[in-house]
Amino acid sequence: MSVQHDPVQRADFDQVMVPNYAPAAFIPVRGAGSRVWDQSGRELIDFAGGIAVNVLGHAHPALVKALTEQAGNLWHVSNVFTNEPALRLAKKLIDATFADRVFFCNSGAEANEAAFKLARRVAFDKFGEDKHEIIAATNSFHGRTLFTVSVGGQPKYSDGFGPKIQGISHIPYNDIEALKAAVSDKTCAVVLEPIQGEGGVLPADLAYLQAARELCDKHNALLVFDEVQSGMGRSGELFAYMHYDVTPDILSSAKSLGGGFPIGAMLTTSELAKHLAVGTHGTTYGGNPLACAVGEAVIDTINTPEVLAGVKTKHQRFKTKLEQIGQQYGVFSEVRGLGLLIGAVLSDAWKGKAKAILDAAAVEGVMVLQASPDVVRFAPSLVVEDADIDEGLARFERAVATLANA
């Protein structure tokens, strides 16, 4: 028997919620695979993936099973204790990556907060308080806490909240010479997204990440990769660093790690992890049994040759059709990205119209994202059916055609 709820509508948002979001005019109420239905019963194809979160689509049977089974056993105990799902998920992340140790939390911002605090603590313990500087990239995005917006290279997110955290500088992404000029013996960490997500779905050059690794080694600094958006199979490898064969010292993960259930993780080595001794850092819900049970089902499902190979195949299906749309309507100058994190860069004639394209696509029944006003972003389920790709892109093309003929 289903629970009867009080009716709500989109207008209620403007009465009860803090106005820091501007959600769409419709309210999704149900999802299955790569399809979503709103309150009116209208069906949409989901190429947004909850902003690169719904890595296995909606209501994936393995995730539903893991969550419901765990819900009948244990919800929460805090980190005064440990729990079985957290230990199982940690072991699987360690077995699949460079890491020896895992710290669980609730979000990408928390994972990055832990990564940046660890980097500074390691430098403090080993070299003293002067070695605290963090080098990050312009147009980067690392979360919404004060520390993470300060490290993120977008002043629009960090301005207006009082004094910023000091000791952070920003350099152009993919600029090796700027990186060489910035890193010094005072640098405690270089923080990079292997694929800039919010900054426009811009993959790093291989030589750039290699140079970052070499410079960090030279100056006793740590290389931190923010894989909150690029991780958990989205690039076609479990983590994007594997695509480049450049190994970080610290890695942050979230978004797809829980497939829609909130969870984040910081991965690192035993040698570095020891600097976060008992009491130095923590979080109430980190390692929550429900979240970790779902995360275990996510990694078990994704980390297979079949799924990861499928991501690369589906990337090409998206890219071929998007390039065709771009040429036909003069809308895109480039289609870039790795795996199923794809950015369609708007041409000069369409600059600034990513939001208009997003809105028109929703009218046609397909959900997409923007990554800056000049890039339309696609972050669908990694197991999206080919038929859904084709139908969704047909709807997307109709949206572009409508705007082009307006």
Side-chain angles (χ1 to χ4, degrees), residues 319-335:
K319 186 174 183 181
T320 298
K321 180 61 177 177
L322 288 171
E323 287 178 340
Q324 179 260 307
I325 293 171
Q327 291 168 3
Q328 183 169 346
Y329 298 95
V331 61
F332 303 133
S333 62
E334 179 187 7
V335 177

Side-chain angles (χ1 to χ4, degrees), residues 360-385:
V363 171
E364 293 293 340
V366 60
M367 300 157 68
V368 299
L369 300 163
Q370 64 180 91
S372 85
D374 300 328
V375 180
V376 180
R377 175 174 34 164
F378 300 80
S381 160
L382 302 191
V383 294
V384 57
E385 299 285 347

Side-chain angles (χ1 to χ4, degrees), residues 284-363:
T284 296
Y285 287 102
N288 173 268
L290 294 168
C292 290
V294 176
E296 184 183 10
V298 169
I299 194 170
D300 284 348
T301 306
I302 287 173
N303 196 25
T304 66
E306 296 78 17
V307 170
L308 294 176
V311 170
K312 297 170 184 175
T313 302
K314 294 174 193 298
H315 167 91
Q316 195 57 51
R317 196 177 193 95
F318 267 97
K319 186 174 183 181
T320 298
K321 180 61 177 177
L322 288 171
E323 287 178 340
Q324 179 260 307
I325 293 171
Q327 291 168 3
Q328 183 169 346
Y329 298 95
V331 61
F332 303 133
S333 62
E334 179 187 7
V335 177
R336 67 191 182 199
L338 289 174
L340 288 176
L341 183 56
I342 298 169
V345 184
L346 298 181
S347 64
D348 289 343
W350 288 73
K351 283 273 190 269
K353 294 184 178 179
K355 181 62 164 60
I357 293 174
L358 184 156
D359 291 340
V363 171

Side-chain angles (χ1 to χ4, degrees), residues 35 42-45 321-322 324-325 328-329 331-332 350 356-366 388-406:
R35 306 269 174 152
R42 187 172 70 108
E43 174 243 76
L44 300 97
I45 293 176
K321 180 61 177 177
L322 288 171
Q324 179 260 307
I325 293 171
Q328 183 169 346
Y329 298 95
V331 61
F332 303 133
W350 288 73
I357 293 174
L358 184 156
D359 291 340
V363 171
E364 293 293 340
V366 60
D388 287 342
I389 297 175
D390 296 343
E391 173 60 23
L393 289 177
R395 296 180 187 186
F396 181 76
E397 183 173 6
R398 289 199 295 271
V400 171
T402 298
L403 291 174
N405 295 327

Side-chain angles (χ1 to χ4, degrees), residues 35 88-89 96 114 125 227 243 246 251 280 315 325 366 379 385:
R35 306 269 174 152
R88 290 196 303 264
L89 178 56
D125 289 349
E227 293 232 34
H243 172 85
V246 176
L251 180 146
T280 55
H315 167 91
I325 293 171
V366 60
E385 299 285 347

Side-chain angles (χ1 to χ4, degrees), residues 24 65 88 97 102 225 236 244 283 294 316 328 348 362 371 387:
K65 181 174 184 287
R88 290 196 303 264
T97 68
V102 178
F225 280 173
Y244 291 96
T283 174
V294 176
Q316 195 57 51
Q328 183 169 346
D348 289 343

